[in-house]
Amino acid sequence: MGKDAHSHVGKEVEELCLIIRSTGEVGEDGHVSVTFGQLFETYVTISNKVVGILLRARKHGLVHFEGEMLWQGKDDDVIITLLE
């Protein structure tokens, strides 16, 4: 069961990265970025676990954002940058 759960987490992180890539904008550094508010509005229809998935993606070096936690409303302007 642990392996299946890990596989599911990986798929969620991959899906999150795809959404960032498709909804974000390419910056001068070549990385794709999106605000947390935009990502939340796009992703919440797919999963209400967007913050947890973002934290896992950051742990694996796939995204970068400032702060330890993100809160809807308060952190809507925080930039999420795709690092891959």
Side-chain angles (χ1 to χ4, degrees):
M1 175 160 169
K3 188 175 183 181
D4 288 343
H6 181 71
S7 175
H8 181 66
V9 167
K11 288 179 184 178
E12 287 180 323
V13 169
E14 282 181 35
E15 187 173 339
L16 179 76
C17 290
L18 285 172
I19 290 169
I20 293 171
R21 191 173 289 115
S22 66
T23 60
E25 296 181 11
V26 179
E28 291 180 14
D29 61 0
H31 289 103
V32 177
S33 298
V34 64
T35 65
F36 176 64
Q38 182 183 359
L39 180 63
F40 190 90
E41 288 301 316
T42 304
Y43 199 83
V44 77
T45 59
I46 298 165
S47 172
N48 61 356
K49 301 178 285 185
V50 65
V51 174
I53 297 167
L54 272 170
L55 292 171
R56 285 196 301 272
R58 178 168 68 178
K59 181 179 177 182
H60 292 285
L62 299 173
V63 299
H64 171 76
F65 56 89
E66 295 296 326
E68 292 300 312
M69 181 60 77
L70 295 169
W71 304 98
Q72 184 185 14
K74 175 181 167 285
D75 293 319
D76 284 354
D77 293 330
V78 171
I79 303 294
I80 311 293
T81 302
L82 192 60
L83 298 177
E84 51 178 43

